[in-house]
């Protein structure tokens, strides 16, 4: 039995269904007796919740890409130091709805590379160091479908968390390609899941990947 838990990140555009898959995996792991925690970025901690409000609501132009990177990394640092790393040390598996690949996809590719890639790499080094996810699942879906779902979900929200959704289709097409680029660059860490498949089919695929990688039976 391993002493340390695994850090598994769920990535993809808005409305790809990754949060549903994260919840299903958490339930599956719990049934298998594997201690696990569901968390997210931004907003996995109390401070993070405040940063989340700033980041995902309101006028899309209130921060530029650099300011966004700094705020997402502030959230990430608090999240890692106060929650993720201690849980992993205790042997729990940590399932995170988004992590640093989202910053590359949204703030680098989404903004058409207006922030130098080196800036993101430097921030990663400062806030995260050499740590990285044991596995990253990237949910890939046509952004027209994802955005429509996201806006529909937001209809029921008092404060709408659609600041990034409102950047338009081209932004979201670029970040989708960005996620695929990330997967190509790091094939041992990243697995792309076709998010147009049914919820059940995707869940089966996720369980298969997890079982093969981490030896669950
Ligand atoms: P969520 O709706 O999946 O919880 O994510 C919040 C929004 O923040 C989503 O539109 C993606 C965006 N985001 C970034 O732009 N950069 C990041 O680093 C992260 C973690 C999220």
């Amino acid at each position: 039995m391993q002493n340390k838990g695994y850090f598994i990140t769920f990535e993809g555009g808005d409305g790809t269904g990754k949060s549903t898959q994260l919840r299903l995996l958490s339930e599956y792991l719990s049934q298998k007796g594997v201690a696990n925690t569901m968390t997210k970025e931004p907003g996995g901690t109390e401070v993070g919740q405040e940063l989340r409000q700033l980041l995902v609501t309101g006028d899309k132009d209130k921060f530029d890409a650099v300011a966004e990177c700094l705020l997402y990394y502030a959230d990430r640092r608090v999240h890692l130091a106060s929650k993720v790393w201690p849980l992993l040390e205790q042997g729990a598996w940590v399932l995170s709805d988004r992590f640093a690949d989202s910053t590359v996809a949204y703030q680098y590719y989404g903004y058409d590379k207006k922030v130098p890639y080196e800036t993101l790499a430097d921030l990663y080094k400062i806030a995260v160091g050499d740590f990285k996810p044991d596995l990253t699942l990237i949910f890939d879906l046509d952004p027209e479908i994802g955005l429509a779902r996201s806006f529909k979900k937001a209809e029921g929200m008092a404060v709408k968390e659609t600041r990034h959704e409102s950047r338009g289709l081209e932004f979201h097409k670029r970040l989708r390609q960005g996620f695929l680029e990330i997967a190509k660059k790091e094939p041992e860490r990243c697995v792309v899941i076709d998010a147009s498949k049914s919820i059940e089919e995707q869940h089966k695929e996720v369980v298969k990947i997890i079982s093969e990688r981490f030896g669950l039976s």
Side-chain angles (χ1 to χ4, degrees):
M1 192 68 192
Q2 49 151 38
N3 296 318
K4 292 198 176 165
Y6 295 114
F7 184 48
I8 304 171
T9 56
F10 289 64
E11 297 278 11
D14 295 285
T16 51
K18 62 188 165 39
S19 313
T20 303
Q21 291 302 324
L22 189 154
R23 186 176 42 75
L24 290 174
L25 178 63
S26 171
E27 285 166 11
Y28 175 85
L29 290 174
S30 298
Q31 278 165 16
K32 292 267 169 195
V34 177
N36 69 92
T37 297
M38 294 190 284
T39 189
K40 67 177 177 184
E41 290 192 1
T45 62
E46 239 173 77
V47 170
Q49 277 298 327
E50 294 183 39
L51 289 167
R52 182 181 172 90
Q53 283 314 304
L54 289 174
L55 281 161
V56 303
T57 66
D59 188 311
K60 72 176 173 36
D61 297 319
K62 68 181 175 180
F63 305 122
D64 68 7
V66 174
E68 272 181 20
C69 290
L70 295 170
L71 289 167
Y72 278 112
Y73 265 99
D75 170 74
R76 187 157 301 134
R77 175 71 192 178
V78 175
H79 187 215
L80 287 170
S82 70
K83 187 171 181 183
V84 176
W85 288 335
L87 281 166
L88 291 173
E89 276 299 320
Q90 289 162 25
W93 292 33
V94 180
L95 313 181
S96 186
D97 194 336
R98 299 192 182 281
F99 186 60
D101 295 318
S102 279
T103 314
V104 176
Y106 281 74
Q107 279 68 46
Y108 178 68
Y109 287 105
Y111 281 111
D112 221 359
K113 307 183 182 175
K114 289 198 183 77
V115 184
Y117 189 82
E118 295 69 43
T119 304
L120 291 192
D122 288 346
L123 286 172
Y124 192 101
K125 237 351 203 195
I126 293 165
V128 186
D130 293 330
F131 174 78
K132 62 177 183 162
D134 295 291
L135 172 69
T136 295
L137 301 170
I138 295 178
F139 292 84
D140 180 58
L141 185 67
D142 178 345
E144 279 194 66
I145 300 171
L147 287 175
R149 278 188 194 160
S150 252
F151 281 120
K152 180 113 196 83
K153 187 173 150 204
E155 279 173 13
M157 290 180 182
V159 181
K160 308 224 178 301
E161 296 190 338
T162 49
R163 190 168 158 261
H164 293 295
E165 282 84 338
S166 64
R167 295 194 189 288
L169 191 56
E170 289 310 311
F171 181 93
H172 287 269
K173 281 185 182 168
R174 285 196 294 271
L175 74 86
R176 179 194 195 186
Q177 288 313 313
F179 275 124
L180 297 176
E181 284 292 316
I182 292 168
K184 230 193 276 170
K185 275 191 209 153
E186 284 189 76
E188 65 299 327
R189 174 173 68 85
C190 302
V191 180
V192 177
I193 311 259
D194 178 355
S196 69
K197 290 187 181 165
S198 74
I199 289 175
E200 193 43 46
E201 275 176 300
Q202 290 178 65
H203 176 57
K204 276 195 188 139
E205 204 175 326
V206 170
V207 166
K208 188 165 178 278
I209 295 163
I210 299 288
S211 307
E212 285 171 1
R213 283 245 176 168
F214 304 122
L216 276 188
S217 54

